[in-house]
C-alpha cells in the first residue's frame, strides 16, 4: 500500500448508481421503521440524514475515472455486510449536535452487522456483487480497501420491544447463532443461554452489542466471514474500533487472515491522540497492523485549519528517527473522516493540507468531497456524511482544490521517493517546510527535495544543507537546476504552493549519507516513548 493514495467513501453517501437497489419500500409502512431518507431532526437545512440515500457499488464503478483522475489508486469503502432492514427504535434520539446517539438511525453506514457473511442488499446490482465490484476496480488498477468490524454488532437493547432486525447474528447459512433479546448486557446469561454466548455482559459503545472476544466461536465466525470477502478480491482491510478488543484477539485474527492471503495489509482505527497507545497495534506481537495517524491528524487540523499553526506543529509528530511505531512510513495520514468534524479550513488550507499529505511520510487518505471542501467543518449529524452524488462530482471537477490535489497526487504517483523514501527534514517552521525523501533499493534510486509554502505570499528557498550535487528536475514547474558540489538550490514557491525537485541518482554526498543513517537504522521503542519537544 505504500505506493497508493486512498480515497475514502461512505458508500451509501457517494453516488446512487442504481436506483433499483434503493429498497425504498423497506419498512415504509411505519414512519418509525422505514429505512430510506430519514432527515436528521433539526438538521434538514444541512441535508443530514440517518436513513439510506442510495449510494452503491455501481455509483463508485461509474465514477472511477473521476477518482483515478485525482491520482488515487485505492478506494476504501464502508462495511458491506448485511445490516438491519428497519430503523432502530431504542437509544437516545439522533439529532443535530448529537454524538453516539442511535435512535431513529439505520445501518446505512454498514457498521451494524447482522450477518457478516451476507452482502447488504442496498449495495449490489445485477452482475455487480462484491466480487464483481472488486474485479471492476482491479480492471482499472484500483485497489479495494474493505472496512471491517469485529468488536460489535447492531444496537441490541433499549428498544420498546424486541425487534427481529436488532441484537441478532446469523451465520453463512442464515441460521441464528446469537440473540441479545433486547436485554441490557448485565442481564445476559452466557452460561445458561447459548444465544447469549456471543456477547459480553458489560456495556460497549452506545447500545451496540459487544462481542465476547474470549469465545472461540466469535473468532471463527469473524475469520470465516472476512476470509470470504478477502477471497472475493479485497486488497486491504481497515479495522474498526481496534482498541475495544485485546491484542491477543488481533494477533490471532491477523495471523489467520494472512494465512488466507499472505502479506495482507491492514490498518486500524484507534481513536486516540497518544502515539504510545495507538502504536501498540503496529507491533508484530499485537497483530502487526498499521493505524490511522491520529496524533498527526491533530497537528494537521491545527496547521491547515483556522488556527493556522506553523509547520513546527507537525515536526514532533513524525517520529522519523525514533518513536513507538513499528514503521511510521506505513501510517495512514489524514486530516478528517466520517467519525469527526470535517476539516474547518478555507480553500487554501485544503490545498496546503494536500500538498503536505502527498509529499510527507505515510499513506494519504482523503475523505470523499474534500476535493472541493464539501461540508467543511461539519460534524456528525450536521452534514459530515451528507450525500455527494453526481451533482457534487460535476461541481468538484472544476474546483481549484481538486485541480491542486490532482497535480500533487500525480507527482507522488510517479515518484518512488515520495511513496516510500526516508524523510529528512531541513526546515519546518512557520509557513515554510523543506525536507528530503530518499529512496534507494536495488538499482532504483531517487532523491526528492520538497518545498512547501502555506503562506499568502511567495517564499524564496535557499537549500544547502545535505544537498547533493547534480541536475535536479522540478516535477511541477518544469525545468532543471544544476547544483555544483557545495552549492545551493534556490527556488521561489508561490503562495500556498509546492515544488518537488527530483534527482535520480544514488546517494553519494557524505553529509546526506550521514544524516540518513539514523533514519535507516531507527529502532522500535520497547518502552513508552516521550515525544521530543517541538522546535
Amino acid at each position: 500500500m505504500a505506493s497508493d493514495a486512498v480515497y475514502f467513501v461512505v458508500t451509501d453517501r457517494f453516488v446512487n448508481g442504481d436506483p433499483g437497489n434503493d429498497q425504498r419500500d423497506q419498512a415504509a409502512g411505519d414512519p418509525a421503521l422505514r429505512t430510506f431518507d430519514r432527515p436528521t431532526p433539526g438538521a434538514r437545512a444541512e441535508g443530514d440524514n440517518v436513513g439510506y440515500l442510495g449510494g452503491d457499488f455501481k455509483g463508485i464503478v461509474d465514477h472511477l475515472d473521476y477518482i483515478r483522475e485525482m491520482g488515487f489508486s485505492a478506494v476504501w469503502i464502508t462495511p458491506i455486510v448485511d445490516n438491519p432492514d428497519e430503523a432502530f427504535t431504542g437509544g437516545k434520539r439522533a439529532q443535530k449536535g448529537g454524538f453516539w446517539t442511535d435512535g431513529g438511525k439505520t445501518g446505512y453506514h454498514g457498521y451494524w452487522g447482522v450477518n457478516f457473511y451476507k452482502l447488504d442488499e442496498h449495495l449490489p446490482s445485477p452482475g455487480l456483487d462484491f466480487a464483481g465490484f472488486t474485479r471492476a476496480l482491479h480492471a482499472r488498477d484500483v485497489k479495494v480497501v474493505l472496512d471491517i468490524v469485529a468488536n460489535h454488532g447492531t444496537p441490541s437493547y433499549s428498544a420498546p420491544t424486541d425487534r427481529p432486525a436488532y441484537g441478532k447474528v446469523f451465520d453463512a447459512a442464515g441460521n441464528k447463532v446469537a440473540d441479545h433479546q433486547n436485554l441490557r448486557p448485565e442481564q445476559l446469561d452466557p452460561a445458561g443461554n447459548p444465544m447469549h454466548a456471543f456477547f459480553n455482559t458489560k456495556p460497549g459503545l452506545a447500545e451496540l452489542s459487544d462481542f465476547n472476544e474470549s469465545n472461540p466461536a466469535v473468532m471463527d465466525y469473524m475469520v470465516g466471514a472476512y476470509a470470504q470477502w478477502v477471497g472475493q478480491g479485497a486488497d486491504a482491510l481497515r479495522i474498526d474500533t481496534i482498541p475495544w478488543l485485546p491484542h491477543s484477539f488481533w494477533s490471532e485474527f491477523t495471523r489467520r487472515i494472512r494465512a488466507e492471503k499472505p502479506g495482507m495489509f491492514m490498518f486500524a482505527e484507534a481513536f486516540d491522540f497518544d502515539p504510545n497507545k495507538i502504536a501498540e497495534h503496529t507491533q508484530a506481537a499485537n497483530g502487526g497492523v498499521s493505524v490511522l495517524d491520529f496524533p498527526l491528524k491533530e497537528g494537521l487540523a491545527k496547521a491547515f485549519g483556522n488556527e493556522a499553526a506553523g509547520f513546527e506543529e507537525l515536526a514532533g509528530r513524525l517520529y522519523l528517527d525514533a518513536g513507538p511505531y513499528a514503521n511510521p512510513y506505513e501510517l495512514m495520514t489524514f486530516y478528517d473522516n466520517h467519525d469527526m468534524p470535517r476539516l474547518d479550513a478555507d480553500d487554501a488550507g485544503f490545498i496546503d493540507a494536500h500538498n503536505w499529505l502527498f509529499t510527507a511520510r505515510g499513506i494519504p487518505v482523503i475523505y470523499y468531497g474534500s476535493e472541493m471542501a464539501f461540508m467543511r467543518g461539519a460534524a456528525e449529524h450536521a452534514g459530515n456524511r451528507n450525500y455527494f452524488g453526481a451533482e457534487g462530482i460535476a461541481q468538484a471537477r472544476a474546483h481549484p482544490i481538486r485541480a491542486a490535489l490532482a497535480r500533487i497526487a500525480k507527482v507522488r504517483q510517479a515518484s518512488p521517493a515520495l511513496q516510500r523514501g526516508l524523510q529528512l527534514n531541513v526546515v519546518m517552521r512557520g509557513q515554510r517546510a523543506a525536507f528530503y525523501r530518499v529512496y534507494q533499493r536495488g538499482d532504483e534510486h531517487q532523491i526528492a527535495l520538497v518545498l512547501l509554502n502555506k503562506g499568502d505570499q511567495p517564499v524564496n528557498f535557499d537549500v544547502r544543507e545535505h544537498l547533493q550535487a547534480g541536475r535536479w528536475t522540478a516535477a511541477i514547474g518544469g525545468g532543471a537546476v544544476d547544483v555544483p558540489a557545495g552549492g545551493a538550490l534556490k527556488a521561489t514557491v508561490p503562495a500556498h504552493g509546492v515544488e518537488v525537485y527530483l534527482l535520480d541518482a544514488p546517494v553519494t554526498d557524505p553529509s546526506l549519507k550521514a544524516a540518513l543513517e539514523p533514519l535507516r537504522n531507527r529502532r522500535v521503542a520497547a518502552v513508552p516513548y516521550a515525544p521530543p519537544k517541538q522546535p
Side-chain angles (χ1 to χ4, degrees):
M1 289 291 293
S3 62
D4 294 301
V6 182
Y7 190 70
F8 170 38
V9 301
V10 175
T11 308
D12 178 75
R13 299 308 204 232
F14 188 55
V15 176
N16 188 349
D18 178 11
N21 62 18
D22 288 356
Q23 317 297 333
R24 296 187 182 219
D25 59 349
Q26 197 170 71
D30 187 339
L33 300 179
R34 78 171 194 279
T35 61
F36 193 85
D37 190 12
R38 299 180 61 88
T40 306
R44 178 175 285 277
E46 290 89 355
D48 197 82
N49 202 287
V50 292
Y52 287 86
L53 293 178
D56 47 34
F57 290 160
K58 192 172 187 298
I60 296 172
V61 171
D62 287 350
H63 294 89
L64 274 181
D65 283 346
Y66 170 81
I67 296 171
R68 292 177 72 251
E69 286 164 4
M70 289 187 284
F72 292 101
S73 54
V75 174
W76 160 13
I77 59 173
T78 40
I80 61 173
V81 303
D82 193 33
N83 273 236
D85 295 342
E86 60 183 47
F88 182 52
T89 56
K92 296 179 181 178
R93 186 187 190 196
Q95 58 189 330
K96 182 179 179 181
F99 186 68
W100 281 354
T101 55
D102 292 333
K105 280 187 180 180
T106 65
Y108 72 88
H109 42 64
Y111 294 96
W112 290 356
V114 173
N115 189 332
F116 291 69
Y117 289 84
K118 182 181 177 183
L119 186 63
D120 191 273
E121 67 274 12
H122 298 82
L123 300 176
S125 299
L128 194 65
D129 57 7
F130 183 66
F133 173 74
T134 62
R135 284 195 299 269
L137 268 66
H138 293 163
R140 304 300 304 278
D141 295 321
V142 178
K143 295 176 182 175
V144 177
V145 180
L146 178 62
D147 207 322
I148 69 168
V149 184
N151 165 64
H152 65 262
T154 67
S156 296
Y157 56 97
S158 75
T161 60
D162 188 21
R163 302 299 308 175
Y166 286 92
K168 318 295 189 283
V169 180
F170 297 89
D171 65 13
N175 300 310
K176 185 167 66 173
V177 296
D179 190 344
H180 220 279
Q181 298 176 325
N182 202 31
L183 298 173
R184 293 190 57 81
E186 59 271 21
Q187 295 176 305
L188 297 174
D189 180 19
N193 187 336
M195 286 289 113
H196 295 175
F198 234 66
F199 308 115
N200 281 317
T201 56
K202 64 181 187 302
L205 293 165
E207 291 82 25
L208 301 175
S209 58
D210 195 83
F211 292 148
N212 179 6
E213 66 276 10
S214 300
N215 184 347
V218 172
M219 175 67 73
D220 291 343
Y221 181 92
M222 292 300 170
V223 170
Y226 292 125
Q228 169 186 289
W229 304 120
V230 168
Q232 292 184 21
D235 298 287
L237 301 179
R238 180 267 189 183
I239 299 171
D240 185 66
T241 55
I242 195 170
W244 289 77
L245 292 171
H247 293 315
S248 57
F249 180 93
W250 294 115
S251 179
E252 176 68 6
F253 178 87
T254 56
R255 182 191 67 78
R256 291 173 63 175
I257 289 294
R258 287 174 178 144
E260 298 288 332
K261 186 172 182 177
M264 185 74 171
F265 184 81
M266 305 179 220
F267 66 94
E269 174 224 16
F271 201 132
D272 199 304
F273 299 118
D274 183 345
N276 291 302
K277 290 182 180 179
I278 70 171
E280 293 178 359
H281 305 287
T282 70
Q283 307 307 321
N286 299 334
V289 301
S290 180
V291 289
L292 288 156
D293 193 348
F294 275 88
L296 181 61
K297 178 268 168 205
E298 184 180 45
L300 296 177
K302 292 180 179 180
F304 302 116
N306 293 330
E307 187 175 327
F311 275 109
E312 59 269 23
E313 183 66 46
L314 307 179
R317 300 173 187 265
L318 296 174
Y319 306 102
L320 301 175
D321 58 355
Y325 300 112
N327 185 349
Y329 294 90
E330 287 188 346
L331 298 181
M332 312 302 292
T333 53
F334 71 109
Y335 51 71
D336 67 13
N337 62 29
H338 60 323
D339 287 329
M340 62 188 66
R342 285 181 177 260
L343 180 66
D344 194 2
D346 59 16
D347 286 5
F350 278 89
I351 291 172
D352 293 334
H354 297 154
N355 287 340
W356 167 272
L357 284 174
F358 284 82
T359 56
R361 72 100 173 106
I363 302 170
V365 180
I366 302 298
Y367 188 35
Y368 79 97
S370 295
E371 61 270 26
M372 68 169 194
F374 180 61
M375 299 305 297
R376 75 182 88 212
E380 184 179 8
H381 298 160
N384 171 283
R385 304 178 186 178
N386 274 16
Y387 182 73
F388 197 50
E391 300 82 2
I393 286 175
Q395 183 180 349
R397 283 189 180 279
H399 204 284
I401 296 177
R402 183 176 186 265
L405 167 61
R407 180 185 63 187
I408 192 59
K410 289 175 181 176
V411 172
R412 184 185 190 273
Q413 199 172 52
S415 168
L418 294 184
Q419 295 168 12
R420 301 183 293 276
L422 297 173
Q423 180 168 339
L424 173 64
N425 293 338
V426 177
V427 61
M428 203 167 288
R429 181 171 291 279
Q431 310 304 310
R432 303 190 321 144
F435 51 85
Y436 294 102
R437 298 294 305 277
V438 183
Y439 181 73
Q440 299 186 94
R441 184 173 184 179
D443 295 329
E444 190 174 16
H445 311 277
Q446 188 176 72
I447 306 171
L449 173 61
V450 178
L451 307 176
L452 296 170
N453 172 20
K454 71 184 192 73
D456 294 330
Q457 301 297 325
V459 166
N460 295 321
F461 285 84
D462 185 333
V463 178
R464 302 170 183 269
E465 188 177 1
H466 310 310
L467 186 67
Q468 182 165 308
R471 170 160 287 193
W472 293 78
T473 302
I476 295 173
V481 177
D482 290 311
V483 176
L489 192 155
K490 298 181 180 181
T492 299
V493 178
H496 304 289
V498 57
E499 186 55 272
V500 179
Y501 285 91
L502 299 173
L503 178 64
D504 292 321
V507 175
T508 57
D509 181 82
S511 172
L512 182 57
K513 274 187 175 182
L516 291 172
E517 203 60 29
L519 306 181
R520 185 179 294 111
N521 297 326
R522 70 181 295 275
R523 292 180 296 108
V524 177
V527 296
Y529 179 74
K533 293 182 179 179
Q534 295 178 9

